[in-house]
């Protein structure tokens, strides 16, 4: 299945790029031809009348107004951490409040966007997006931590002793999108050019762009405008479940974004190949820089007068080659692939959405069984996630939202074994199941301005031999979220 998906995606992109001329519809050039003068003789033998053929200039297109748009949006909160997970600092590294202590409270930006869209012609459009997405910055530069280890020393027969070693570590890189002096920083999130209607109903995009996993395309393109993030509509509260667990939301690559019915745009697709590096400038030795690629595919459709929306997504990426044959244990080729389905139904008072996915991480973990000596087996890890949400309006300018997610990092996890991780995919940890809950109200006094009191909770459940010693726990945060857009 993965090989077939790779071949289909790669072949479609190559055929599109090589066989279709970018200039096919970009401009129309009027052919010119020499016009010969004609002479008409009248009855007077000494006079002639010369007539030249002329062509009336084509009427100019005054309906198209080129887009030059500066836009942006931001969201953040005043938050209060009501309870921090006490199990271990390793749980939930992908969450916003990992490492934030109980009782901490602050005003905080979580995203700042500044974008510029420029239509070069009706055919070609450039997109630029700068982003800053800081976190609570619990790992500030210059902070130190000290760990202590004790070693038993054996001397003369029957004589033992211990020695204690203290190690001090200094943080040299600030967390999140913060500079080393702890200032917020902008970075390039999108920078691409779009060729509209490469053929009727299909756009070609190349550069750094949103992937087809859930991100939004704006109206007026042939890309989907109703993927899961935009349908959920509350990214200002939290990412979708696949984004939450580190699927690529943007990448550097090339894509075809198309509709099968350009007139109505009820059915469409996206095919994309990317670096699998997002915006990172990786070293030449990194597997994702010039060696391996990720392939994305998406099919979407709208039914019942566009009230029912269905989206089917898949991706596949190789992430590492075989380990050395002498390595113990031997780890084969590493790769991961995801299959996801999202559906939503919208009526005037309410919208309901459901998202479910499964992801296989090939040779992703080592399962270690107790014994003398212990037995280590390299295994695939199968991840599953499920999300359901509801949103709607209950009074003028007042809306509500609620969501529940459940996440299992490895459905084949053996609770009698211990595990180590091979994969370099995200911040993967097979030992902790998670449940996420959020709910709140949204006061929308004017268009594009929102104030949203809400509660944010992640519950952690440890599995494996450590479950008896590391208790289940949770993180709960109370927030007053603000969100506004401009220039759109």
């Amino acid at each position: 299945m993965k090989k077939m998906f790779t071949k289909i995606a790669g072949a479609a992109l190559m055929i599109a790029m090589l066989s279709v001329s970018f200039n096919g519809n970009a401009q129309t050039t009027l052919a010119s031809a020499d016009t010969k003068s004609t002479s008409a003789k009248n009855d007077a033998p000494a006079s002639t009348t010369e007539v030249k053929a002329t062509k009336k200039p084509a009427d100019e297109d005054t309906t198209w107004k080129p887009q030059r748009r500066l836009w942006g949006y931001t969201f953040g909160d005043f938050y209060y951490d009501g309870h921090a997970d006490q199990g271990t600092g390793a749980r939930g590294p992908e969450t916003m409040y990992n490492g934030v202590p109980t009782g901490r409270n602050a005003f905080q930006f979580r995203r700042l966007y500044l974008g510029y869209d420029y239509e070069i012609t009706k055919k070609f459009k450039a997109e630029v997006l700068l982003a800053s997405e800081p976190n609570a910055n619990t790992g500030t530069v210059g902070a130190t931590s000290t760990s202590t280890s004790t070693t038993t020393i054996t001397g003369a027969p029957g004589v033992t002793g211990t020695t204690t070693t203290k190690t001090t570590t200094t943080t040299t890189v600030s967390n999140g999108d913060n500079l080393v002096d702890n200032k917020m920083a902008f970075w390039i999130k999108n920078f691409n050019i779009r060729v509209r209607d490469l053929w009727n109903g299909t756009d070609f995009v190349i550069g750094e762009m949103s992937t087809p996993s859930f991100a939004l395309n704006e109206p007026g393109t042939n890309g989907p405008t109703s993927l899961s993030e935009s349908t959920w509509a509350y990214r200002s509260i939290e990412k979708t479940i696949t984004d939450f667990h580190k699927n690529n939301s943007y990448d550097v690559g090339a894509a075809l974004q198309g509709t099968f019915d350009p007139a109505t745009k009820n059915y469409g697709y996206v095919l994309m190949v990317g670096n699998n590096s997002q915006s990172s400038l990786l070293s030449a030795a990194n597997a994702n820089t010039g060696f391996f690629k990720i392939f994305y595919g998406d099919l979407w459709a709208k039914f019942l007068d566009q009230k029912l929306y269905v989206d089917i997504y898949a991706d596949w990426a190789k992430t590492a080659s075989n380990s050395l044959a002498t390595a113990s244990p031997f780890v084969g080729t590493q790769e991961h692939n995801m299959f996801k389905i999202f559906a939503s139904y919208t009526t005037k008072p309410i919208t309901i959405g459901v998202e479910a996915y499964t992801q296989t991480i090939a040779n992703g973990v080592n399962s270690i069984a107790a014994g003398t000596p212990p037995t280590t087996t390299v295994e695939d890890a199968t991840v599953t996630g499920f999300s359901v949400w509801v949103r709607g309006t209950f009074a003028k300018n007042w809306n509500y939202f609620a969501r529940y997610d459940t996440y299992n990092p490895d459905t084949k996890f053996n609770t009698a074994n211990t595990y180590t991780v091979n994969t370099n995919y995200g911040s993967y940890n097979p030992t902790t199941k998670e449940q996420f809950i959020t709910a709140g109200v949204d006061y929308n006094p004017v268009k594009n301005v929102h104030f949203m009191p809400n509660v944010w909770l992640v519950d952690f459940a440890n599995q494996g031999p450590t479950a008896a010693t590391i208790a289940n726990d949770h993180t709960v945060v109370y927030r007053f979220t603000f969100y506004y857009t401009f220039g759109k």
Side-chain angles (χ1 to χ4, degrees), residues 39-216:
S39 299
K41 294 183 179 180
N42 56 22
D43 293 338
S47 64
T48 60
T49 302
E50 187 179 76
V51 179
K52 293 185 177 180
T54 60
K55 182 173 287 187
K56 184 180 179 180
D59 293 335
E60 294 183 1
D61 182 1
T62 59
T63 61
W64 177 66
K65 302 295 183 184
Q67 184 185 74
R68 311 283 192 267
R69 186 183 69 173
L70 180 69
W71 63 274
Y73 72 76
T74 189
F75 54 75
D77 326 276
F78 175 76
Y79 77 87
Y80 175 81
D81 193 322
H83 178 81
D85 172 34
Q86 302 299 311
T88 171
R91 296 200 289 196
E94 73 279 6
T95 67
M96 188 68 189
Y97 302 101
N98 175 253
V100 176
T102 298
R104 176 167 176 166
N105 59 92
F107 291 94
Q108 177 190 3
F109 286 110
R110 285 186 285 117
R111 170 175 284 180
L112 300 97
Y113 268 10
L114 185 61
Y116 187 65
D117 297 331
Y118 186 97
E119 287 184 324
I120 302 169
T121 68
K122 291 177 67 175
K123 188 75 173 180
F124 296 95
K125 177 185 176 182
E127 176 189 32
V128 178
L129 176 61
L130 302 180
S132 182
E133 298 177 341
N135 64 11
N137 196 23
T138 55
T140 55
V141 172
T144 59
S145 60
T146 302
S147 60
T148 303
S149 61
T150 302
T151 304
T152 300
I153 302 174
T154 302
V159 178
T160 61
T162 60
T163 181
T164 301
T165 302
K166 289 187 176 181
T167 303
T168 300
T169 303
T170 301
T171 303
T172 57
V173 177
S174 192
N175 285 353
D177 297 332
N178 306 320
L179 298 173
V180 294
D181 61 356
N182 298 321
K183 300 294 193 301
M184 291 184 293
F186 274 111
W187 48 276
I188 298 172
K189 189 164 189 176
N190 283 340
F191 211 112
N192 60 70
I193 187 166
R194 176 182 297 271
V195 185
R196 287 194 174 105
D197 286 314
L198 184 64
W199 59 81
N200 187 29
T202 293
D203 294 354
F204 173 78
V205 187
I206 189 166
E208 191 170 329
M209 73 192 81
S210 299
T211 68
S213 51
F214 41 80
L216 172 69

Side-chain angles (χ1 to χ4, degrees), residues 224-290:
T225 58
S226 303
L227 293 176
S228 57
E229 181 175 288
S230 57
T231 310
W232 156 234
Y234 282 100
R235 172 61 185 88
S236 52
I237 299 299
E238 190 49 85
K239 305 171 183 175
T240 64
I241 186 171
T242 53
D243 192 11
F244 194 95
H245 293 287
K246 301 307 179 186
N247 193 37
N248 292 341
S249 60
Y250 58 97
D251 204 357
V252 179
L256 295 172
Q257 301 176 355
T259 55
F260 298 112
D261 54 338
T264 56
K265 295 186 177 181
N266 285 324
Y267 308 94
Y269 71 96
V270 181
L271 295 173
M272 178 176 173
V273 58
N275 280 345
N276 199 26
S277 63
Q278 299 191 45
S279 62
S280 298
L281 299 177
L282 304 178
S283 70
N286 189 288
N288 292 329
T289 307

